[in-house]
Amino acid sequence: RMIFAETDPNFKKLVWLVQTFGLSPQKVAQLTGKSRSYVARILSGDLSVGSDEFWGTLEANLDKIIALRTKAMFEVATVKVEELTN
């Protein structure tokens, strides 16, 4: 069965998570117990390796994914130190 990454909802969501939260394939691999190369293959569009176990583990670890992010979700204006002390 041929699976096209562009139309697969799980692939789209994983790419969104990686881009939105600045996650590396290594971070995703750590969370799922899979190798970095396994995750990189999925991110390159090779969905023949994306098992239900992999997607289920990602689902179960969404809280950790957010905790490991390297990008802020919301833009927050910086506050000058003087404003905090006055």
Side-chain angles (χ1 to χ4, degrees):
R1 173 175 93 120
M2 173 137 324
I3 302 170
F4 296 98
E6 306 81 34
T7 60
D8 183 78
N10 285 338
F11 173 76
K12 288 180 176 182
K13 292 171 189 173
L14 177 58
V15 169
W16 180 85
L17 280 171
V18 166
Q19 291 174 345
T20 301
F21 295 120
L23 300 173
S24 67
Q26 181 63 35
K27 292 281 187 200
V28 176
Q30 289 171 349
L31 289 168
T32 60
K34 300 293 185 185
S35 68
R36 189 204 54 77
S37 60
Y38 180 94
V39 173
R41 281 180 61 188
I42 293 172
L43 288 170
S44 72
D46 182 359
L47 299 182
S48 66
V49 295
S51 67
D52 287 336
E53 175 192 5
F54 173 79
W55 300 116
T57 302
L58 275 176
E59 178 68 29
N61 286 299
L62 281 174
D63 59 333
K64 293 178 182 125
I65 290 170
I66 293 169
L68 291 172
R69 71 188 183 276
T70 59
K71 288 178 159 179
M73 183 67 184
F74 300 98
E75 294 179 24
V76 180
T78 58
V79 178
K80 294 179 182 176
V81 174
E82 297 84 38
E83 293 176 15
L84 293 174
T85 58
N86 292 332

